[in-house]
Amino acid sequence: MKRIRKQKKPEIPKLILEEIVGFTTANANGLASGVSNSKCVYIAGCVAVVYDIDSSTQSHLVVTNRLPKPLSCVAISCDGRFVAAGESGPHPAVVIWEATSLALKYELKSHQHGLACIAFSPDGKHLTSVGYPHDGYICLWDFQSQSLITKCKGCTPSSAVASVSFSADGRFFITAGKKHLKFWKLGLSTRSRMIARTASGATGKQANLGHHKGCLFIAVASLMWSENRLLDHIQTGEALHVYALTDEGVLCLLNSEMAIANSVELQVEKGFGLSVSRKLVACACNNGQVKLFSSNSLSYSGSLYYPESRCSKGSVADLHVMIGKNGNEQLQSLPNAIACQFSTLQKLVVIYDDRSLFIWDVQDVDKASRCAVLVSHSACIWDIKNFSCEHMHDPSKACVAKGCSGGVSFATCSADGSIRLWDLEQSSSLSLPTEDKSMSTLSSGPTHLERAGVFERDSLVSGFASTGYRSMAVSSDGKYLGAGDFLGNLHIFNLHTTDYMCIQGAHDGEILSLSFSLPSIDAPAKFPHSHYFLASGGKDGMIHVYDVQRNFDIIGSFRDHSAPVTCVKCTCSGTKILSCNADRSLIFCDVSMIDSAYKISCYHRVLPGVVYDMAVDASAEIAVTVGQDKKINTFSIPSGKLIRSFKHIGRDPIKVSVDPSSSYLVCSDSFKILCLYDIMSGDMVAQAVGHGDVITGVIFLPDCEHLVSVCSNGCIFVWKVPGSLSSRMLKKIKENACPLSPAKFSAPATSGQIKLHEINYHQPEGISMTPNVFQVKQRVLCREGSTPATSFKFSISRLPKWAQAKVTNLPSLMTDPNSSFSETGKFGSADKQRPTCETVLVYEEALHNLDAAAERAVQLFSRLANQHARTESSREHENQLLAKAAEMLVSIANKINATAKLVQSAKTGSNGSAKMDISTTES
């Protein structure tokens, strides 16, 4: 019988990783550099990023022949030929790549648990690896033959090894840890050569630590010399100098007899990392400090300080370098410097625990300066959204693919309390504003868009940084950015003006999803009754709908879900609202207006599992869901019926997004894999790996050539879509292209124009509320050269019904044209005292301030009136507060009325003079 051979499945194309923003380096073992070139290596999830300091470009090293594991440590050979990385998790490998070709060369497997640290020998022939404490083994490898030379027990959970390094002559390596500093001598074939292939086992000998015997050594390093210079220094004994750093900030110099010859206290609370060059020893310490000492005498040379203004509440643009001979400066709490490495003997790479990377020029310590800064989010990135281009086109219309020159932008929000805007630019270099114009701040990535993006980084911080942002939405006209935090507060930024609004307590728990709708411009006949809404879904199971054009008045709330709302989408120009949640239901809601009131009617559809995410394509009128059933389901939005379904290849899909042409969809699963599917056939057309943690968001960019994914470890990955797929998307978009709608709003503030201003909202007199409601500092986004302002409109309809009656029943408020304040009100008759034209601006400013104060009062009254039911005693106390608040509102309304009449009389050209003294408390 003839054996039938199984046909090999066609290989699935891979997405090309072009750019990574951020890193996951957690300690000094996650950063490496060599003196032979200008490259350094750091960790970003499952990827080892090779960053060229001189050209500001990235290369990416990742395992592609299997599912990669998150990396924990990296090393680079002295000649720069090889890059090695140690994996974490069970059965890890030491993965070695060739630096020039980026090809995977070797995988060394012997450890049972993760790898703590690795190091190359000076001759680049051998490598030593140290496992996690539960593994406990130290391995010495001849990595080019993939043979294990020796393996010995080197540590226990109570005495973990934190660092490893070879001596300069390569005759031994040193391990450092808790009450642990050992020299491991190796059997040698010759005395003059470094470790040879015939090396026999290794034996560890504890160093003579003296009174430092009980210390925790967190880093160890030694000088590295070229082979010619090494022979000279062996004779003098300098080649055997080894440096060790304790966690309490003591730098020790060990001699060839394995004893501490010299030590110096750094006068810091904690040390984290160590690096040695021919002239200097750099120690990464707490509070953003890097201490520099002479490598020969350990005499103090200077310090590098993290710029305080990057953490201050003032301008984010001011960066200062503080270098000095005195190490006792009083510093505020700043990010810790957790790793440092010398590169090319002139540059020092420093990583801080706020996920920022600084490159310092230390050729002249007294004139040290930063020559590059890389910044990213310092915590989990929870959401990512496309941003309108400079011409205010809807990102879902793929305007860039149609030839728009407005650029490609997107925004990310994070648990660190920041929202960052990112621009994909075709520029060769970028610079952040600094006081020292000689310092150029370069961004990472190649210099051409077709190779990888160059990102311009500016952060928008709302002031509620301690809570963090959980979800985000950007209106398709680019005017509003909404963000929900973990406390249920809803933050609204108007990016065209200076306005900022915070709706506190919008939900009882974190806001999990936000979505804007926008009245249709391209097809007004299709949706004649379109609406401009913002919908929010929270962990409390509630969905709130806000009218954007009425200053975000809440027009409806419903709780048709019995579990947290995982996703909510507004579509069909605001006439449809779709939501899904953990109760396995998908809800289609129709929004209509009847007699000036909105009516929301819902239709439920039960699914076989929890729905994790949903993507909507308004042009194709479809909604795509992913969830616990491991299926990708496509529904018709008008009918609510399931029209297509196919199974995801892999674990549970978590996030989903549809491309602008409705040709493909991308989803991420719990295995941290990105899968690209044909939306009609369900065939997988591309795949990508590299993230080291859960993928929390993914989007297609409007150019149809890139997609961007974000992760819970704070990294942003930019992927290049295969050319065949990109061509199909572009072709379909051009076939269905319609003219791009012209901008109807003023241009938004650019990244460089956005500044942060602080304002204080104080508690109004006579109203007792909890301190966290009003006594907070809020940051308002505003353009350069402007000041924070509000543009709220006073509206009686925003009041509760009982308050409306109190206000409208006052005849003097709106009906009496001759009404005037008494003497205590500071106003006389409007007919007797008419202002001159010179005072019009003063009156208008006063009117604006009163108008803003009234609006804040209205918000307060509405919030109090709409509170949940309480006990009878608390309800009585609340009624007293509301009654007192209503009296304040009447006084404010009277002042607004009188001021308005004065302004009107001035505009009619009347002459006279008047004095005005209006005092209001703005809440």
Side-chain angles (χ1 to χ4, degrees):
M1 186 175 179
K2 201 171 184 178
R3 181 177 295 177
I4 301 175
R5 293 184 178 179
K6 291 184 178 180
Q7 294 183 351
K8 290 185 178 180
K9 293 182 179 179
E11 187 176 352
I12 300 174
K14 302 292 184 181
L15 298 176
I16 303 171
L17 181 57
E18 289 199 341
E19 183 83 9
I20 296 179
V21 179
F23 46 84
T24 56
T25 296
N27 53 43
N29 298 316
L31 175 66
S33 66
V35 295
S36 61
N37 53 40
S38 61
K39 295 180 180 180
C40 68
V41 184
Y42 55 86
I43 299 170
C46 302
V47 182
V49 181
V50 182
Y51 180 73
D52 193 311
I53 295 174
D54 291 340
S55 63
S56 302
T57 57
Q58 286 184 1
S59 301
H60 307 104
L61 306 174
V62 63
V63 176
T64 56
N65 58 351
R66 58 176 173 83
L67 189 65
K69 296 179 180 180
L71 304 179
S72 57
C73 53
V74 290
I76 186 169
S77 60
C78 293
D79 58 3
R81 182 183 173 189
F82 294 105
V83 175
E87 295 180 328
S88 59
H91 306 289
V94 179
V95 188
I96 303 175
W97 295 271
E98 192 174 37
T100 54
S101 64
L102 307 181
L104 177 62
K105 301 295 289 185
Y106 313 106
E107 284 193 60
L108 312 176
K109 294 185 178 181
S110 178
H111 296 276
Q112 297 300 312
H113 301 283
L115 287 151
C117 49
I118 56 177
F120 279 100
S121 63
D123 63 354
K125 295 180 180 179
H126 295 80
L127 181 141
T128 182
S129 59
V130 181
Y132 280 168
H134 291 287
D135 179 273
Y137 283 98
I138 299 174
C139 297
L140 180 65
W141 303 87
D142 182 348
F143 66 88
Q144 296 190 45
S145 64
Q146 301 189 61
S147 59
L148 179 62
I149 296 175
T150 185
K151 181 178 180 179
C152 57
K153 194 73 172 178
C155 60
T156 63
S158 60
S159 61
V161 173
S163 179
V164 63
S165 176
F166 275 88
S167 64
D169 62 355
R171 287 184 285 183
F172 59 87
F173 63 87
I174 313 99
T175 56
K178 185 177 182 181
K179 300 180 181 180
H180 172 106
L181 191 63
K182 284 187 177 181
F183 289 71
W184 302 80
K185 289 189 176 181
L186 307 171
L188 300 173
S189 58
T190 64
R191 179 178 178 82
S192 61
R193 293 182 59 83
M194 304 172 191
I195 304 173
R197 292 181 181 273
T198 58
S200 58
T203 56
K205 181 179 179 181
Q206 183 72 22
N208 183 7
L209 302 178
H211 63 278
H212 299 292
K213 188 175 181 179
C215 294
L216 168 60
F217 290 89
I218 49 90
V220 63
S222 58
L223 286 168
M224 292 298 168
W225 306 94
S226 62
E227 190 169 356
N228 295 331
R229 300 190 63 183
L230 176 61
L231 296 176
D232 298 333
H233 288 281
I234 286 178
Q235 298 177 357
T236 63
E238 293 181 7
L240 300 181
H241 283 178
V242 175
Y243 304 85
L245 179 66
T246 70
D247 69 331
E248 295 180 350
V250 179
L251 176 62
C252 302
L253 172 62
L254 291 92
N255 56 27
S256 58
E257 298 178 356
M258 305 178 191
I260 296 180
N262 192 6
S263 65
V264 60
E265 292 191 7
L266 308 186
Q267 298 182 353
V268 296
E269 295 179 1
K270 192 173 180 62
F272 292 95
L274 177 67
S275 183
V276 183
S277 71
R278 296 174 188 172
K279 296 181 179 180
L280 296 172
V281 179
C283 301
C285 308
N286 70 297
N287 216 21
Q289 304 173 78
V290 179
K291 299 288 187 177
L292 302 177
F293 297 87
S294 170
S295 58
N296 292 326
S297 62
L298 296 190
S299 59
Y300 180 73
S301 299
S303 296
L304 310 176
Y305 293 103
Y306 188 94
E308 293 185 29
S309 58
R310 289 185 61 86
C311 296
S312 66
K313 296 181 181 180
S315 172
V316 298
D318 298 331
L319 302 177
H320 300 282
V321 184
M322 295 179 294
I323 311 295
K325 296 293 182 181
N326 182 11
N328 298 323
E329 290 90 346
Q330 296 296 322
L331 299 177
Q332 62 178 0
S333 179
L334 299 172
N336 298 320
I338 60 173
C340 63
Q341 284 291 331
F342 281 100
S343 178
T344 66
L345 304 179
Q346 299 177 1
K347 305 292 178 62
L348 180 65
V349 183
V350 182
I351 286 181
Y352 301 87
D353 61 5
D354 66 344
R355 307 283 177 86
S356 62
L357 184 149
F358 284 30
I359 299 174
W360 299 84
D361 188 341
V362 291
Q363 185 174 10
D364 185 350
V365 177
D366 294 329
K367 298 179 181 179
S369 61
R370 290 184 314 279
C371 53
V373 178
L374 306 181
V375 297
S376 62
H377 286 290
S378 60
C380 171
I381 300 175
W382 279 110
D383 208 352
I384 178 172
K385 290 292 188 295
N386 274 311
F387 214 73
S388 297
C389 68
E390 292 181 0
H391 303 304
M392 312 311 301
H393 295 139
D394 187 346
S396 65
K397 304 299 183 183
C399 62
V400 177
K402 297 176 183 179
C404 175
S405 60
V408 178
S409 302
F410 61 92
T412 55
C413 69
S414 170
D416 64 4
S418 68
I419 300 172
R420 296 184 182 269
L421 303 181
W422 309 85
D423 298 330
L424 201 63
E425 296 285 353
Q426 289 184 351
S427 59
S428 58
S429 64
L430 292 173
S431 62
L432 291 176
T434 61
E435 286 190 350
D436 186 359
K437 299 301 181 182
S438 64
M439 293 187 299
S440 61
T441 304
L442 305 178
S443 70
S444 58
T447 57
H448 301 288
L449 180 62
E450 59 269 22
R451 295 178 59 192
V454 178
F455 291 97
E456 187 171 347
R457 302 169 172 87
D458 284 288
S459 65
L460 311 179
V461 186
S462 73
F464 287 82
S466 60
T467 62
Y469 292 111
R470 180 62 176 81
S471 58
M472 181 179 59
V474 181
S475 61
S476 54
D477 60 1
K479 185 176 182 180
Y480 294 104
L481 186 150
D485 64 26
F486 285 87
L487 299 180
N489 303 315
L490 178 58
H491 308 265
I492 307 295
F493 297 96
N494 188 327
L495 301 179
H496 291 186
T497 65
T498 63
D499 296 341
Y500 163 76
M501 175 190 294
C502 177
I503 303 176
Q504 299 186 26
H507 287 267
D508 289 339
E510 57 191 273
I511 300 177
L512 300 177
S513 182
L514 292 170
S515 178
F516 277 99
S517 69
L518 186 67
S520 178
I521 300 175
D522 300 327
K526 190 173 183 180
F527 303 107
H529 303 291
S530 59
H531 312 292
Y532 197 175
F533 290 151
L534 170 64
S536 64
K539 196 173 183 179
D540 55 2
M542 293 290 296
I543 295 177
H544 300 308
V545 183
Y546 304 88
D547 191 337
V548 176
Q549 295 176 327
R550 295 178 60 189
N551 198 29
F552 292 91
D553 283 347
I554 186 167
I555 63 169
S557 299
F558 54 96
R559 190 173 186 172
D560 288 18
H561 292 290
S562 59
V565 179
T566 56
C567 187
V568 60
K569 297 288 184 182
C570 291
T571 185
C572 299
S573 298
T575 60
K576 293 274 189 182
I577 298 177
L578 282 66
S579 63
C580 57
N581 74 340
D583 63 2
R584 303 186 301 175
S585 65
L586 177 64
I587 298 181
F588 296 80
C589 298
D590 292 316
V591 182
S592 58
M593 179 176 284
I594 302 176
D595 297 332
S596 299
Y598 290 103
K599 180 182 179 182
I600 302 176
S601 55
C602 300
Y603 163 72
H604 291 250
R605 186 178 184 91
V606 179
L607 300 179
V610 175
V611 182
Y612 296 135
D613 194 24
M614 174 173 53
V616 169
D617 190 306
S619 59
E621 296 186 343
I622 58 172
V624 181
T625 64
V626 294
Q628 200 175 24
D629 60 354
K630 298 182 181 180
K631 289 184 178 181
I632 300 174
N633 302 312
T634 304
F635 295 87
S636 170
I637 294 177
S639 64
K641 294 182 179 180
L642 179 67
I643 58 177
R644 199 176 303 115
S645 179
F646 56 89
K647 197 168 184 66
H648 168 64
I649 303 174
R651 298 291 292 271
D652 292 356
I654 298 175
K655 290 292 181 180
V656 66
S657 180
V658 179
D659 82 277
S661 69
S662 302
S663 301
Y664 303 101
L665 63 87
V666 60
C667 72
S668 64
D669 62 19
S670 55
F671 263 173
K672 297 157 285 188
I673 301 176
L674 285 173
C675 299
L676 204 63
Y677 290 97
D678 187 303
I679 202 169
M680 298 300 295
S681 65
D683 296 332
M684 185 186 294
V685 295
Q687 198 177 51
V689 293
H691 280 288
D693 217 326
V694 177
I695 299 173
T696 54
V698 59
I699 58 170
F700 284 91
L701 293 184
D703 61 359
C704 294
E705 296 179 357
H706 297 85
L707 61 88
V708 184
S709 55
V710 295
C711 186
S712 59
N713 58 22
C715 291
I716 303 172
F717 283 45
V718 181
W719 307 87
K720 177 74 173 179
V721 178
S724 59
L725 308 183
S726 179
S727 299
R728 181 185 171 187
M729 287 187 281
L730 292 171
K731 181 180 178 181
K732 189 173 181 180
I733 286 176
K734 290 179 181 179
E735 288 175 353
N736 303 327
C738 57
L740 293 172
S741 303
K744 288 198 171 185
F745 302 96
S746 60
T750 62
S751 299
Q753 291 177 317
I754 295 174
K755 300 293 181 183
L756 301 177
H757 294 261
E758 289 186 357
I759 57 175
N760 287 308
Y761 290 120
H762 300 287
Q763 183 175 341
E765 184 179 355
I767 299 181
S768 175
M769 294 292 291
T770 56
N772 62 343
V773 175
F774 287 100
Q775 295 180 356
V776 293
K777 289 186 176 180
Q778 302 180 358
R779 291 190 176 189
V780 181
L781 305 178
C782 45
R783 296 191 183 194
E784 190 173 9
S786 63
T787 56
T790 54
S791 58
F792 300 116
K793 299 299 180 183
F794 176 74
S795 173
I796 297 295
S797 63
R798 288 177 59 91
L799 292 173
K801 291 184 178 180
W802 62 267
Q804 291 182 27
K806 281 184 173 290
V807 175
T808 55
N809 288 339
L810 291 173
S812 61
L813 180 62
M814 299 296 177
T815 58
D816 186 5
N818 296 319
S819 62
S820 60
F821 283 106
S822 63
E823 184 176 354
T824 58
K826 307 297 181 182
F827 270 100
S829 172
D831 293 331
K832 295 180 181 179
Q833 296 184 1
R834 296 185 183 275
T836 62
C837 294
E838 288 77 5
T839 60
V840 171
L841 292 178
V842 177
Y843 289 137
E844 288 183 339
E845 182 180 359
L847 176 61
H848 176 80
N849 294 335
L850 288 170
D851 192 30
E855 175 62 25
R856 297 293 298 179
V858 168
Q859 291 180 351
L860 171 64
F861 305 153
S862 301
R863 181 62 51 79
L864 289 172
N866 295 328
Q867 293 290 330
H868 297 296
R870 297 183 176 85
T871 60
E872 193 65 30
S873 59
S874 63
R875 175 63 66 184
E876 181 180 355
H877 178 62
E878 181 180 330
N879 289 336
Q880 294 176 359
L881 294 178
L882 292 173
K884 195 166 186 178
E887 295 177 1
M888 291 178 57
L889 179 64
V890 173
S891 174
I892 292 173
N894 283 330
K895 293 181 180 181
I896 290 176
N897 182 52
T899 309
K901 289 191 294 182
L902 289 173
V903 172
Q904 183 62 32
S905 64
K907 288 183 177 181
T908 57
S910 300
N911 295 322
S913 60
K915 295 182 179 180
M916 180 171 57
D917 181 13
I918 301 177
S919 60
T920 61
T921 304
E922 191 169 338
S923 61

